[in-house]
């Protein structure tokens, strides 16, 4: 009574993590914003163009339409290629998305493999980072993130585990960096935190504090992640790149389901 539940999460957190770690400038384009903070590009459209080819992706789409039919299956690529999805699993996921979207399109395993090749050519530095993570997981039995946390890897599953652990651990660390920042600033407000769920933070905030409490948490949780990874041969050459993590919030509600966004 007297409180509302608020759901906050990072926008495209795992993708931002992989963009920062890999230093892939092409991949980071999807996070560029204009002077008022609005996205300049649709990330799923960019991935779809890379995978299908720009001409095929926009074929038959009327001018002014920003969400073409192939955008829905492209989401499957967006959400899985960071972590080395295989062609068979990608084809299955995309076909399921095509059915839900009412598209008369079937993606073959060979077609999915070609899309993965196209994606890797477009984002070659992301591919390089993933390959490096896989080798480390196979050789060492663990990967280490920029915070120095070592994460155990099953060597025979390193192909998917190692890049996934790298990207997802950055999201987790960013959540706790924000909470630590709040603890140093106004520790009493941590009582509002109910629990974190990967890139999401669930809070219960007094109604009379919503107007300033929500933007306060958003500001404190947001920030730039800079891995500061440089070349071993030339320390002045940055391999990674700084990427901003932004925290968005849903409408306050009486339960978590309604607060979700």
């Amino acid at each position: 009574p007297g409180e509302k539940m608020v759901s906050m999460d990072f926008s495209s957190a795992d993708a931002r993590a992989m963009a920062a770690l890999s230093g892939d400038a092409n991949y980071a384009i999807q996070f560029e914003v204009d002077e008022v903070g609005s996205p300049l590009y649709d990330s799923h459209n960019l991935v779809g163009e890379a995978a299908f080819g720009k001409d095929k992706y926009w074929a038959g789409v009327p001018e002014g339409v920003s969400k073409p039919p192939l955008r829905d299956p492209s989401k499957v690529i967006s959400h899985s290629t960071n972590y080395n999805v295989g062609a068979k699993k990608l084809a299955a996921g995309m076909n399921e998305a095509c059915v839900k979207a009412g598209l008369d399109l079937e993606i073959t395993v060979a077609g999915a493999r070609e899309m993965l090749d196209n994606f890797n050519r477009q984002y070659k530095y992301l591919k390089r980072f993933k390959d490096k993570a896989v080798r480390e997981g196979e050789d060492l039995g663990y990967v280490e993130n920029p915070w120095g946390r070592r994460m155990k890897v099953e060597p025979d599953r390193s192909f998917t585990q190692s890049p996934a652990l790298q990207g997802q651990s950055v999201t987790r660390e960013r959540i706790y960096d924000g909470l630590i920042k709040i603890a140093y600033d106004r520790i009493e407000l941590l009582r509002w935190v109910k629990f974190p769920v990967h890139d999401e933070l669930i809070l219960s905030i007094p109604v009379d504090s919503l107007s300033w409490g929500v933007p306060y948490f958003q500001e404190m949780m947001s920030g730039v992640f800079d891995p500061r990874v440089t070349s071993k041969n030339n320390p002045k050459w940055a391999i990674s790149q700084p990427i901003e993590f932004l925290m968005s919030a849903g409408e306050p509600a009486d339960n978590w389901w309604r607060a979700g966004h």
Side-chain angles (χ1 to χ4, degrees):
E3 298 189 359
K4 290 289 183 179
M5 188 162 279
V6 177
S7 168
M8 297 183 177
D9 64 7
F10 286 130
S11 171
S12 305
D14 291 3
R16 290 175 185 268
M18 295 300 279
L21 293 168
S22 67
D24 196 313
N26 283 340
Y27 193 65
I29 287 175
Q30 62 183 300
F31 308 122
E32 292 183 2
V33 296
D34 60 20
E35 62 275 4
V36 296
S38 299
L40 289 172
Y41 306 98
D42 183 296
S43 60
H44 299 307
N45 285 346
L46 288 175
V47 169
E49 289 176 7
F52 285 97
K54 195 169 185 178
D55 291 340
K56 182 177 180 180
Y57 186 76
W58 291 101
V61 178
E63 187 176 349
V65 174
S66 61
K67 296 182 179 181
L70 290 176
R71 186 174 182 273
D72 282 346
S74 294
K75 289 181 181 180
V76 180
I77 306 173
S78 300
H79 296 149
S80 58
T81 45
N82 276 338
Y83 305 137
N84 277 342
V85 65
K88 184 177 180 181
K89 189 171 183 178
L90 179 61
M94 292 185 71
N95 285 329
E96 184 178 344
C98 287
V99 171
K100 288 182 178 179
L103 297 177
D104 184 18
L105 176 67
E106 183 177 356
I107 308 297
T108 64
V109 174
R113 188 174 293 111
E114 182 180 355
M115 290 179 193
L116 290 174
D117 289 341
N118 292 340
F119 182 92
N120 289 331
R121 278 193 293 270
Q122 177 71 15
Y123 305 120
K124 60 182 181 180
Y125 293 106
L126 175 63
K127 177 68 163 60
R128 182 185 67 178
F129 172 77
K130 291 189 292 184
D131 289 346
K132 179 175 178 290
V134 171
R135 290 194 300 271
E136 290 177 351
E138 290 174 343
D139 296 342
L140 303 175
Y142 66 85
V143 290
E144 186 173 309
N145 72 11
W147 285 259
R149 176 151 64 100
R150 290 184 177 182
M151 297 163 286
K152 182 179 174 62
V153 173
E154 299 172 50
D156 60 343
R157 298 181 63 193
S158 182
F159 185 73
T160 54
Q161 275 190 355
S162 293
L165 286 170
Q166 284 283 13
Q168 292 173 4
S169 73
V170 167
T171 297
R172 189 68 165 177
E173 302 282 8
R174 287 293 307 152
I175 282 282
Y176 284 102
D177 277 353
L179 292 175
I180 291 169
K181 187 178 177 182
I182 291 169
Y184 275 106
D185 186 57
R186 297 194 60 176
I187 194 170
E188 73 278 7
L189 298 187
L190 290 183
R191 295 191 183 95
W192 294 353
V193 178
K194 299 295 100 177
F195 48 88
V197 187
H198 189 51
D199 68 336
E200 185 178 10
L201 198 62
I202 312 302
L203 304 103
S204 185
I205 302 178
V207 172
D208 59 4
S209 298
L210 285 169
S211 60
W212 63 266
V214 172
Y216 171 82
F217 264 80
Q218 286 182 269
E219 179 183 356
M220 296 297 281
M221 296 298 296
S222 299
V224 174
F225 167 51
D226 186 357
R228 297 181 182 177
V229 179
T230 58
S231 168
K232 292 181 180 179
N233 298 326
N234 184 359
K236 293 183 179 180
W237 179 34
I239 296 175
S240 60
Q241 63 186 334
I243 295 290
E244 188 171 18
F245 274 63
L246 300 173
M247 181 69 77
S248 61
E251 289 295 322
D254 291 329
N255 56 57
W256 183 16
W257 182 75
R258 293 190 179 279
H261 67 291

